[in-house]
Amino acid sequence: MKSSQLNRYLNDPRGPEEVLPSLTAEELANLLDALYQNLDTPEPEFGAEAWYEMAVEESCRRAGSPGGAAHGVA
């Protein structure tokens, strides 16, 4: 995923609560990967950590496992 695509997600006025559940499994996986890579840079995008945490929770929800907090994601 290109940086411009990631920024579209991060700047979406609907926010992660509304956007993440609407993504396909493939889109969610791609977004998680892009967020993870972004967080592994010296200067991650503003809001990337919150989006990543919420995306992990969405992924766990879809997998039928308990919420992300139970997996060390706060």
Side-chain angles (χ1 to χ4, degrees), residues 35-60:
L35 288 164
Y36 184 84
Q37 289 181 34
N38 181 266
L39 290 170
D40 196 32
T41 64
E43 294 183 27
E45 296 293 329
F46 179 78
E49 185 173 356
W51 271 81
Y52 180 77
E53 290 174 2
M54 293 184 81
V56 168
E57 289 176 9
E58 176 65 18
S59 181
C60 289

Side-chain angles (χ1 to χ4, degrees), residues 2 5 7-9 12 15 20 22 24 27 31-32 34 36 38 41-42 44 47-48 50 56 59 62 64-65 67:
K2 294 181 182 178
Q5 292 171 304
N7 281 325
R8 262 185 288 178
Y9 282 110
D12 192 311
L20 294 171
S22 71
T24 66
E27 290 169 333
L31 179 57
L32 272 166
Y36 184 84
N38 181 266
T41 64
V56 168
S59 181
R62 291 183 186 193
S65 40

